[in-house]
Amino acid sequence: FESMVALVHTSCGQRRSPLALGISLIEILKAKVCGVMNVGDLTLASASLRRKQLLVDVGLVFKIARADIDESPIKGEKAEDYVLRLSEEKARVVAPRHQDGVILAADTTVVLGGDILGKPESEAHGVEMLRRLSANTHKVLTGVSVINRYRQESFLTSSTGVFKEISLPEIL
């Protein structure tokens, strides 16, 4: 899969948090979780194996708590608002179970031609999504929320990727 996509550009945006552009997502997470939020117990509000591995790789010690929420976009919702809303909802759902710690939640989506692609609902849907992405430029948006009992910080990252042209046999 990685050979099909080229990362073109990454930027960080802001929402309720003054963040400088050009800082890597890992640096932001470490600053938010370790520095700004005075971490005690850290809980990752996600069942994502990739997010778990990212935190392990940077040396953070944490618990995992799944945040079961409705991830449906609201009609007319912009993709940036969508990922931020979901990350904030995930954090708020998990927070009551971990009141003395820090909650880290995130949500990522792919955007193509203004459409939020979401997670494939079936193998056929996944194939359709890959065919749409073939030979096209897309955005990958991630909303991240870090909260404790006193405050919440949320921010957005955006990357642009380009898929090479892939044939149906390559997808299958």
Side-chain angles (χ1 to χ4, degrees):
F1 178 76
E2 289 179 7
S3 66
M4 294 183 215
V5 181
L7 184 63
V8 176
H9 182 261
T10 302
S11 65
C12 297
Q14 65 180 19
R15 180 170 175 179
R16 298 183 206 99
S17 174
L19 298 173
L21 294 175
I23 300 172
S24 78
L25 181 57
I26 296 301
E27 290 169 334
I28 293 168
L29 286 176
K30 286 180 97 171
K32 290 284 182 205
V33 174
C34 297
V36 178
M37 298 299 272
N38 258 344
V39 69
D41 288 331
L42 174 63
T43 300
L44 175 62
S46 175
S48 165
L49 296 176
R50 178 71 179 130
R51 286 194 178 91
K52 176 184 175 186
Q53 192 58 51
L54 280 170
L55 296 185
V56 167
D57 289 350
V58 298
L60 294 175
V61 176
F62 58 95
K63 297 177 250 181
I64 295 175
R66 187 178 180 98
D68 292 316
I69 63 167
D70 178 2
E71 296 191 15
S72 303
I74 297 170
K75 186 175 178 155
E77 185 173 36
K78 291 181 181 178
E80 293 84 355
D81 295 331
Y82 169 71
V83 293
L84 283 166
R85 177 178 59 83
L86 292 185
S87 72
E88 291 169 355
E89 283 183 21
K90 289 175 182 180
R92 282 193 294 267
V93 163
V94 169
R97 294 178 275 163
H98 303 275
Q99 292 182 5
D100 292 330
V102 173
I103 311 300
L104 172 64
D107 194 78
T108 299
T109 197
V110 172
V111 181
L112 179 64
D115 295 335
I116 297 170
L117 296 188
K119 296 178 180 92
E121 297 167 5
S122 65
E123 184 176 334
H125 185 226
V127 169
E128 175 195 334
M129 288 171 63
L130 289 172
R131 291 191 78 172
R132 285 187 64 196
L133 288 164
S134 176
N136 281 305
T137 299
H138 63 280
K139 275 187 176 180
V140 179
L141 301 174
T142 300
V144 180
S145 295
V146 182
I147 68 171
N148 64 18
R149 72 169 53 191
Y150 304 106
R151 63 194 262 208
Q152 175 177 317
E153 298 282 340
S154 296
F155 61 93
L156 175 74
T157 67
S158 174
S159 300
T160 301
V162 179
F163 259 78
K164 74 172 195 167
E165 188 168 348
I166 49 177
S167 66
L168 186 55
E170 287 177 296
I171 292 172
L172 300 175

